[in-house]
Amino acid sequence: MVMGKQSAALLAAILASVLVGLAAGGNFYEECDATWEPQNCWAYDDGNRLSLALVSNSSGSMIRSKKQFVYGTVSTMIQLVPGDSAGTVTTYYTSSLGDNHDEIDFEFLGNVTGQPYTIHTNVYAAGVGNKEMQFKPWFDPTADYHNYTISWAPCMIVWYIDGVPIRAFRNFEASHGVAFPTSQPMYAYSSIWAAEDWATQGGSVKADWSKAPFVASYHGIDLDVCECYGGGSCIAGCAEKFGDAGRYCSLSVEQVGKLQWVQSNYRIYDYCADPKRSINGQKPVECGLAQY
């Protein structure tokens, strides 16, 4: 890809922002529990680092934050599975409990050696998602750690990589009836699991189990959240705490420029551009509204 001076300068700024992501810290012993296949999860470096392993097509691993919360930012540094990671999915997300759950997703879909990962994002409200947006990374996510952050506020959700916003989803529930997660406390999760039936090229490429175990590595977890375990007063208090329009409800001019750069150059799927998501020829209502 040939870039002009403006694009090259923007890329340099984005790469420099990686240094911001390196500040992520936090202790996995203190912040998380292993909730699925704990034998495939191990912390070390006094709990500052963690590994999750996928051993077979039915045996991965998952951690969950001890804190339950409404609104906040959750961040961690991840080095994704190197080499042939086809058929594997590493996740970092927030979710409430129950069938009609709320959820905000980062999912990293593995690929054959030499082919890029797919970074998959989605948001669910009351059990309904179908708001997928996917990207190819502008870096090698297996060569080093990169910071992945989910910011959830009453006004909007923003996904960041190394401090760079890649997507925003604004709350249009009151104004346009678009469902938005506002009332169900969530946990932060990360996991690794097998998804051979769909993850790589629509499921046509399977995992090479001779390469197992597939290991994703983590360095630090930061939870700047409003702890809440249910109840209207708790939720209202968290909404007030994270309702500052200046801090959580808008992006700076520089951030908007970075987001647009990523969306223009590295977005590979947008549900708003998918005719299968249209109803009677009409796109979802939020697709015609400014998200940032």
Side-chain angles (χ1 to χ4, degrees):
M1 179 177 61
V2 178
M3 295 187 295
K5 291 183 179 180
Q6 184 175 5
S7 294
L10 181 56
L11 177 58
I14 288 174
L15 293 176
S17 70
V18 170
L19 296 176
V20 176
L22 295 178
N27 190 295
F28 288 102
Y29 289 140
E30 297 173 355
E31 297 286 5
C32 299
D33 294 313
T35 56
W36 177 50
E37 301 283 8
Q39 73 275 11
N40 297 331
C41 166
W42 58 95
Y44 48 101
D45 187 21
D46 295 324
N48 294 311
R49 296 177 184 268
L50 179 90
S51 291
L52 298 181
L54 174 62
V55 178
S56 71
N57 61 4
S58 62
S59 183
S61 191
M62 175 183 285
I63 58 171
R64 188 180 79 178
S65 66
K66 296 179 180 179
K67 295 176 182 176
Q68 199 173 12
F69 54 90
V70 173
Y71 305 127
T73 59
V74 295
S75 301
T76 192
M77 304 280 287
I78 308 175
Q79 184 174 12
L80 296 176
V81 176
D84 189 345
S85 58
T88 73
V89 176
T90 304
T91 72
Y92 182 61
Y93 64 103
T94 66
S95 181
S96 62
L97 302 177
D99 293 336
N100 296 320
H101 70 294
D102 295 340
E103 184 174 329
I104 306 167
D105 289 339
F106 262 123
E107 294 186 339
F108 309 98
L109 313 186
N111 214 328
V112 295
T113 302
Q115 297 299 312
Y117 264 77
T118 294
I119 300 172
H120 177 96
T121 66
N122 202 357
V123 55
Y124 288 76
V128 179
N130 299 325
K131 292 176 172 57
E132 302 94 336
M133 193 175 287
Q134 295 181 338
F135 306 85
K136 296 295 185 187
W138 58 93
F139 52 90
D140 182 354
T142 74
D144 206 344
Y145 290 91
H146 291 268
N147 183 291
Y148 301 92
T149 298
I150 295 169
S151 173
W152 173 35
C155 49
M156 70 176 179
I157 298 162
V158 185
W159 293 255
Y160 295 88
I161 300 177
D162 293 329
V164 176
I166 66 167
R167 179 184 181 185
F169 185 81
R170 191 166 287 280
N171 185 352
F172 292 115
E173 188 162 36
S175 60
H176 293 82
V178 181
F180 189 91
T182 57
S183 61
Q184 299 190 68
M186 297 202 208
Y187 292 96
Y189 293 84
S190 196
S191 66
I192 185 169
W193 48 285
E196 293 183 283
D197 57 335
W198 63 270
T200 306
Q201 298 177 31
S204 62
V205 180
K206 306 301 182 183
D208 181 355
W209 293 109
S210 71
K211 303 291 197 304
F214 302 99
V215 179
S217 301
Y218 297 75
H219 184 192
I221 183 166
D222 287 345
L223 304 176
D224 179 12
V225 296
C226 183
E227 286 191 66
C228 182
Y229 299 89
S233 60
C234 172
I235 293 169
C238 291
E240 182 177 356
K241 179 177 180 180
F242 283 89
D244 181 350
R247 181 176 179 185
Y248 299 106
C249 297
S250 62
L251 299 175
S252 69
V253 172
E254 181 183 8
Q255 287 176 317
V256 169
K258 291 178 179 180
L259 185 150
Q260 291 174 337
W261 183 84
V262 172
Q263 295 252 334
S264 295
N265 292 279
Y266 295 97
R267 186 180 64 195
I268 58 173
Y269 176 82
D270 181 359
Y271 76 104
C272 286
D274 187 345
K276 295 179 182 177
R277 296 297 168 82
S278 298
I279 299 176
N280 297 324
Q282 299 295 316
K283 295 180 180 180
V285 63
E286 70 271 16
C287 294
L289 303 173
Q291 297 286 350
Y292 49 86

